[in-house]
Amino acid sequence: MALVEINFDGVIGPSHNYAGLSPGNIASASNAGAVSQPRAAALQGLEKMRANLRLGLAQGFFMPLDRPNLWWLDSLGTDMVRAESHIQAAAFSASAMWAANAATVSPAPDCRGGLCHLTPANLVTMPHRSHESPGTMAQLALAFADKDHFALHMPVLPPFGDEGAANHMRLCPSHGEAGIEIFVYGKSGGPFPARQHIEASKAIARRHQLNPERTLFIQQSEIAIAAGAFHNDVVAVANERVLFTHEQAFEDPEAAYAAIRAKMPEAEIVIVPADRVSLADAVQSYLFNAQLVTLPSGEMALILPTEAKANSRVWGWLEEHVAGNGPIRRLVPVDVRQSMANGGGPACLRLRVVADPTTVDQRFIADEAKLDRMAAVIAAHWPESIAPDQLSDPALVKQVQDARLALLKACDLSDLA
Ligand code: SUG
């Protein structure tokens, strides 16, 4: 079987809530304290997966992590009853849904030795995300247990922050062929934290045995981070030979494009100018936090949030592009509003793995029947709503824990309990 791109979506967990935990993430900050709808959120996520399956794309998923994270609370000498509210919220967060931050993945054709390499992100910049990696690691170890095809590393140790595939792009003639890998890092000093440290990116490139001649390290622009692009995938996305980017995504855009073209002359760089779509519009609409995918027909589609359609400047630019000769031929809006309100668009919700699907543990691969079973569990067990002052309620804690166990059981994944 040929190597294909499989999108693994994080199932939106039963503890999904709006706690304003991510400074620099405008949606998270502006929705702090709002009442969330975990059930609707998770069903929106499943519908996105279903839509992708129907487009003929390979689809996988990851289970929600065990929340509240009692092990983490214990390590801090506290528990859900005694902890201060910001620690309660950090322990309770369903942030592992944003699977683009689960790991960095280098497909086998890019790596010396011919294995697909995965490094779970350490996510050390934000306290609520810093305790995701053990749960993520356990899940990746199950899904990609086949050592003839996958090499799973430990997360990079602090102090170097690593936020995974959200700051990593790959350009290649086709998914199964060797490509160039681009690591985008931030420099601290602006109003918001830069979450991806260059030393973490370099460590991953070395561990993944990438060819230095085909690896690039590019600085994200400081104004993009200041405008709320806390990850590169808020301002740029790549697929095969196409890079779709905002004009102000990189600190030195001309040097970045030249370096890319020098390593891959056939790269097609589609630049959205700031005088058509401002950084503020890009961040508000999540135009670039889209899944740029190759359909079975060979055409490229952009799976983007409905918020992008609602923004007339963004939609106007896209319609012109599709009407012209641009490489993006189809626009597919999806409703992931519950996740969007925490700063997570369609691209945040998925981790791309290029692999032969038969080498992946089949329990993590989606089909319509499995999505139906998952939807039934979610409809029966996920809380309908969560208000911020409910997080320490023992009844809610128990409901959240039981709901996850019910989903693990339905997916035959109780080994993760
Ligand atoms: O890390 N939001 C996430 C969103 C992650 C989006 N991922 C990518 N761009 N790839 C974050 O900022 C908000 C949680 C809260 O405020 O309750 C949050 O963690």
Side-chain angles (χ1 to χ4, degrees):
M1 171 105 192
L3 301 182
V4 297
E5 177 179 280
I6 314 166
N7 282 279
F8 288 83
D9 280 39
V11 173
I12 298 176
S15 68
H16 161 62
N17 73 100
Y18 299 120
L21 297 175
S22 280
N25 170 341
I26 311 278
S28 154
S30 53
N31 289 303
V35 174
S36 68
Q37 295 179 294
R39 192 182 302 164
L43 294 174
Q44 286 170 0
L46 289 193
E47 283 314 303
K48 170 166 99 76
M49 289 194 236
R50 208 187 284 282
N52 284 357
L53 275 181
R54 290 183 180 165
L55 288 172
L57 304 171
Q59 183 67 52
F61 53 80
F62 297 129
M63 292 285 103
L65 301 186
D66 190 12
R67 295 291 177 265
N69 189 337
L70 303 180
W71 159 86
W72 184 67
L73 288 169
D74 192 48
S75 78
L76 295 173
T78 189
D79 56 38
M80 237 7 217
V81 176
R82 293 177 298 148
E84 296 152 88
S85 59
H86 68 281
I87 295 293
Q88 277 175 355
F92 209 76
S93 178
S95 53
M97 72 175 83
W98 298 298
N101 306 120
T104 304
V105 184
S106 296
D110 297 354
C111 307
R112 247 187 358 262
L115 297 179
C116 170
H117 288 252
L118 302 102
T119 295
N122 63 27
L123 292 160
V124 292
T125 309
M126 298 287 157
H128 68 292
R129 306 213 62 177
S130 67
H131 56 92
E132 282 176 38
S133 62
T136 300
M137 186 82 194
Q139 194 145 201
L140 297 179
L142 262 196
F144 307 106
D146 181 344
K147 295 205 164 34
D148 291 333
H149 294 94
F150 299 102
L152 178 60
H153 300 267
M154 294 295 286
V156 173
L157 288 176
F160 305 124
D162 172 33
E163 305 254 334
N167 299 305
H168 174 248
M169 302 186 290
R170 178 171 187 254
L171 290 167
C172 53
S174 71
H175 292 306
E177 292 173 80
I180 64 169
E181 297 203 10
I182 303 168
F183 293 82
V184 183
Y185 61 90
K187 276 197 183 158
S188 52
F192 296 135
R195 300 209 212 170
Q196 184 71 36
H197 198 290
I198 189 171
E199 293 303 339
S201 299
K202 286 184 182 170
I204 292 168
R206 287 188 292 264
R207 290 156 150 213
H208 289 195
Q209 301 182 31
L210 299 179
N211 180 348
E213 296 301 312
R214 297 177 66 78
T215 306
L216 282 170
F217 300 93
I218 294 178
Q219 190 191 339
Q220 188 181 8
S221 80
E222 292 179 18
I223 54 167
I225 299 178
F230 52 96
H231 289 138
N232 173 64
D233 68 2
V234 176
V235 280
V237 59
N239 179 55
E240 296 192 324
R241 60 184 177 79
V242 175
L243 170 62
F244 178 49
T245 180
H246 190 271
E247 186 182 9
Q248 293 165 309
F250 308 119
E251 186 63 24
D252 184 345
E254 290 313 323
Y257 306 150
I260 290 169
R261 290 196 177 107
K263 296 206 184 300
M264 191 171 159
E266 70 270 41
E268 183 166 357
I269 306 179
V270 179
I271 303 162
V272 179
D275 62 6
R276 293 291 309 276
V277 174
S278 64
L279 272 177
D281 276 331
V283 170
Q284 178 277 327
S285 68
Y286 264 36
L287 157 65
F288 298 96
N289 199 264
Q291 293 180 245
L292 183 58
V293 294
T294 306
L295 300 174
S297 64
E299 282 185 343
M300 284 197 199
L302 196 64
I303 298 159
L304 73 183
T306 45
E307 285 79 353
K309 189 167 183 182
N311 181 313
S312 58
R313 289 173 296 280
V314 166
W315 199 249
W317 188 91
L318 284 168
E319 286 194 312
E320 266 177 43
H321 176 91
V322 173
N325 281 327
I328 302 166
R329 304 308 316 144
R330 256 179 91 174
L331 304 173
V332 184
V334 290
D335 176 2
V336 286
R337 275 177 215 177
Q338 283 286 314
S339 167
M340 281 287 287
N342 248 339
C348 299
L349 286 163
R350 63 91 172 94
L351 182 69
R352 292 184 278 192
V353 179
V354 171
D356 171 350
T358 63
T359 61
V360 177
D361 187 315
Q362 293 303 299
R363 291 175 294 178
F364 293 91
I365 300 291
D367 59 34
E368 295 257 7
K370 216 182 268 187
L371 293 179
D372 288 345
R373 282 207 302 282
M374 291 161 79
V377 172
I378 287 164
H381 295 274
W382 259 230
E384 192 173 345
S385 65
I386 299 182
D389 62 358
Q390 279 181 280
L391 299 192
S392 60
D393 174 358
L396 178 68
V397 167
K398 179 148 184 6
Q399 183 182 1
V400 161
Q401 291 167 329
D402 289 349
R404 172 175 173 271
L405 293 177
L407 188 70
L408 292 180
K409 190 157 177 254
C411 295
D412 191 23
L413 280 166
S414 297
D415 351 6
L416 290 170

